[in-house]
Structure formats: structure tokens, C-alpha cells
Amino acid sequence: MKKRVFSGIQPTGNIHIGNYLGAIRNWVASQDEFDNIFCIVDLHAITVPQDPKMLHTKIRELAGLLLACGIDMEKSVLFVQSHVKEHAELAWILNCYIPMGWMQRMTQFKEKSAKQKEQVSVGLFDYPALMAADILLYDTDVVPVGADQKQHIELTRDVAERMNSMYGDVFKVPEPFIPKVGARIMSLKEPTKKMSKSDEHADASIHLLDEPDAIRKKIARATTDSLREIRFDENRPGVNNLLVIYQLFTNKSQEEIEAHFEGKGYADLKRELSEVVIEGLAPVQQRYAEITRDPAFIENLLKENADKVRPIAERTVSRVKEKIGLG
Ligand code: TYM
């Protein structure tokens, strides 16, 4: 029996190379090894205001992009969270077992709520309970994510262990998988902040569907420093980030890369990096154009895939209800 992987991604903003290098690429690479379920988390998206038409469009666009990145329907399931109502049902139950104090410690809530001020919804606060439900519904072994999701997975493990100790085996306790390189791709403009879908600075992120010229411009404008040497060094976040992106797109070692750029300047690094990123994204963009030619294809695929995983989710919710005495 293969171990089960579950991971999710929000259909908001534009998918960027941080999502790709920190998560999606690893999902694709380990598809043969695991039994994989990937979820477009639209219920998470509405924790902040969304335009209905745009949200509907973004869900389909994201599905197309994930397929274009190499998520393979022979090996993985790809579905939309709101198509399987058990996500909301289990989230409610978990809510009743998660102490407020655990939620109040979530750094992502603190960051996101600081941006929104008095508009912050209860859903945004409760976001980690829904994420725990996503993971626990499918008896997940491994959750491959970027570093920003680590705390949410720890909370998932904590609530699973808490309910297991109260009622006996209710849930499988999942492990995070966070890559050694690429778990935190930084903003090109402010390299001490992570690259983010909601960044209002247009040059901060490279999107998967960016045209070659846009990629060249964004990298040319990326923040570096006043030093000269091109070396991996976390104390020089701008240059370090560009080198990490270069490393992930070329699959070369740090030593090889430092030797390659010996004696060269930042303009050379930026020029070469641009070409490497453009070349790396070209096949994804080509496949995306082919896949989205027939919108009915994605529509049917998402429906069929939700039908595949729903029975697993239903079984888990029945088991949980029985254990805790509901119904
Ligand atoms: P989301 O949509 O923000 O991001 C999707 C994935 O991309 C990773 N990521 C990054 N990795 C490296 N560098 C970055 N700058 C960067 N930005 C984002 C994220 O860590 C994530 O793996 N809460 C989740 C979605 C979710 C989920 C789940 C994930 C909902 N339910 C269950 C796993 C399991 C989120 O907002 O991801």
C-alpha cells in the first residue's frame, strides 16, 4: 500500500514560482511514490473577500495550471474542496476540540488580520481548523507544503492526537514534508518577505503565466545589495533568493553555481536567471494553452475527481461521528 499524500492550494491571485518551487513541483515529482490527493481550496479562499465571477474563473484556471505543471490524472486526484461537503462538516467538529489559545498563536492569522483590520472574518481566524479537516478526512500520511504552512500542520497533528487520546484511534496523524531548498521563496522586491499571491507590488512575484518580457523586467528590477560577489548567503537575502531560484530551475549544486558566476556581476546573474526561468516555465505555459482549449474538459474532470474522493471523506466523517456520539 502506498502512503497517502494530501495537499491544497488556494484559487486566489496568481500562482507564482514560490507556489511552484515550494509545493507543486514536489507534488509532481513524488506522484509515483504516493497515493495523491490535491485540492483546490475554495472554502479557504472565501475567508477573505472574493469577487464571485473571478473566484469561479480562478478555480478553473488553477486546475488547468496544476495539470500543466504535471499533475497526472492517472496517478493523482485533483478536486475542488467545496464539491465535497464533508470538509465543512469535519471542520465544525474539529472547531469544538481546538482550544482558542492554539488558534490565537497562528502567525499567519496575525499577519493576514493585520492587513485587513476590522474586516477580519471569523472564517479567517478559523482557517486552520478547515485545513486540519482537509488533511484528516483522507487518512493522510504526508502533507507536502512550503515552510509557511508548518504551523498549521502542527495544529492538525495536535488536534488529531487530542481526539485520539480522548476516543481511541479516530485519526491518522500526518507528517509535513517541507523541502530543504525552496520552502520559502522570497519577494523579488522585499526579499525579507515571502513571495505572496496577495502582494500588491506588481514586480514582487513571477507568475506561472508571465510572458518572457515580464519575467525579464521583474528579475532586472529585483532588489539585490551593494556587494559584488555572487554567493549563497542567507544574510544577503536578495542575491540568495535569486540563486535559490536559479538552483531549483537548473538542478545544479550550489558549488557549481558559485563557480559558474565567479567573476561575473549581478547583471549577468539576472540575465541568465531570466532565461532559465523563461525556459522552465515555457512547457507549463504551452500545456496550459492546450489544456484550456476545451473548458468542458476541466469541468468534467473536477466533477469526476470529487466523486472519487467523496466516499473516503464520508467514511471518515461517519467514523468520527460514531466515536464522539453524534447522531
Ligand atoms: P497557498 O495557496 O498559500 O500556497 C500553496 C502552496 O505553496 C506554498 N507556498 C510557498 N512555498 C515557497 N515559497 C513561497 N513564497 C510560497 N508561498 C506559498 C505553500 O506553503 C503551499 O504549500 N493553507 C494553504 C492551502 C491548504 C492546504 C490544506 C495545504 C488548505 N488546506 C491542506 C496543505 C494541506 C495555503 O494557503 O496555501
Side-chain angles (χ1 to χ4, degrees):
M1 280 278 282
K2 287 181 177 176
K3 286 192 171 179
R4 164 137 325 133
V5 151
F6 181 96
S7 203
I9 181 164
Q10 292 200 66
T12 48
N14 287 318
I15 303 303
H16 52 67
I17 57 169
N19 302 125
Y20 179 63
L21 301 173
I24 301 168
R25 218 172 79 128
N26 302 321
W27 303 352
V28 171
S30 63
Q31 278 180 115
D32 286 322
E33 191 186 333
F34 296 106
D35 168 13
N36 316 280
I37 304 179
F38 301 115
C39 185
I40 297 175
V41 295
D42 56 346
L43 295 172
H44 278 107
I46 61 164
T47 57
V48 297
Q50 300 293 341
D51 173 74
K53 259 207 189 119
M54 180 69 100
L55 178 59
H56 189 265
T57 305
K58 285 282 173 191
I59 292 168
R60 276 85 195 151
E61 179 187 296
L62 179 52
L65 268 172
L66 292 171
L67 297 175
C69 287
I71 299 296
D72 181 343
M73 291 302 93
E74 300 286 314
K75 300 173 185 167
S76 301
V77 178
L78 173 64
F79 76 106
V80 179
Q81 189 183 33
S82 67
H83 291 179
V84 178
K85 60 182 173 19
E86 283 71 18
H87 288 255
E89 192 173 2
L90 183 59
W92 174 258
I93 295 175
L94 296 179
N95 270 327
C96 301
Y97 292 86
I98 299 174
M100 286 286 282
W102 293 5
M103 289 293 209
Q104 279 158 343
R105 284 199 287 273
M106 295 294 115
T107 54
Q108 199 159 75
F109 173 73
K110 288 184 202 165
E111 285 163 17
K112 286 194 184 175
S113 57
K115 281 190 210 155
Q116 292 216 3
K117 307 211 170 70
E118 68 276 14
Q119 296 298 324
V120 178
S121 69
V122 176
L124 188 66
F125 181 67
D126 196 34
Y127 183 114
L130 180 59
M131 185 161 158
D134 299 342
I135 297 168
L136 298 177
L137 269 179
Y138 299 100
D139 300 323
T140 302
D141 295 289
V142 187
V143 190
V145 283
D148 61 342
Q149 298 302 318
K150 184 163 182 262
Q151 200 185 25
H152 293 158
I153 297 171
E154 277 160 10
L155 183 134
T156 304
R157 289 172 54 87
D158 289 345
V159 68
E161 280 167 356
R162 182 164 204 240
M163 291 184 73
N164 286 350
S165 72
M166 291 168 79
Y167 302 107
D169 279 349
V170 188
F171 294 118
K172 182 171 268 181
V173 181
E175 298 282 343
F177 170 82
I178 295 169
K180 285 201 185 70
V181 183
R184 200 171 161 81
I185 299 294
M186 309 309 272
S187 152
L188 297 181
K189 293 313 286 181
E190 284 179 82
T192 50
K193 281 181 20 190
K194 70 167 185 179
M195 190 175 280
S196 153
K197 289 194 209 107
S198 55
D199 202 312
E200 60 271 359
H201 204 304
D203 290 335
S205 322
I206 296 174
H207 304 135
L208 296 197
L209 295 176
D210 274 352
E211 303 270 343
D213 272 347
I215 296 175
R216 286 193 193 99
K217 255 188 220 138
K218 288 178 183 180
I219 294 179
R221 292 174 184 158
T223 305
T224 50
D225 54 42
S226 55
L227 302 174
R228 294 177 66 99
E229 224 185 334
I230 298 178
R231 261 198 306 112
F232 285 87
D233 179 354
E234 286 187 5
N235 297 318
R236 292 167 57 195
V239 173
N240 196 70
N241 191 39
L242 298 182
L243 285 170
V244 167
I245 297 170
Y246 186 90
Q247 181 183 3
L248 290 164
F249 273 106
T250 58
N251 293 316
K252 290 188 178 149
S253 71
Q254 297 200 348
E255 295 72 26
E256 273 177 283
I257 294 169
E258 287 180 350
H260 174 77
F261 284 111
E262 175 108 50
K264 296 189 182 173
Y266 289 168
D268 301 305
L269 169 62
K270 287 180 165 181
R271 200 171 329 109
E272 290 193 37
L273 175 63
S274 299
E275 296 318 308
V276 159
V277 173
I278 290 167
E279 211 175 286
L281 295 183
V284 174
Q285 299 185 349
Q286 243 160 37
R287 279 196 297 266
Y288 179 78
E290 286 158 22
I291 289 164
T292 50
R293 219 165 277 152
D294 173 17
F297 169 72
I298 288 188
E299 212 56 52
N300 293 335
L301 178 145
L302 291 175
K303 193 183 165 303
E304 283 167 18
N305 277 248
D307 292 344
K308 277 190 205 161
V309 292
R310 192 174 295 108
I312 311 174
E314 285 170 350
R315 273 199 303 276
T316 306
V317 168
S318 305
R319 182 176 80 224
V320 175
K321 282 177 152 178
E322 197 186 305
K323 288 269 189 192
I324 67 177
L326 284 177

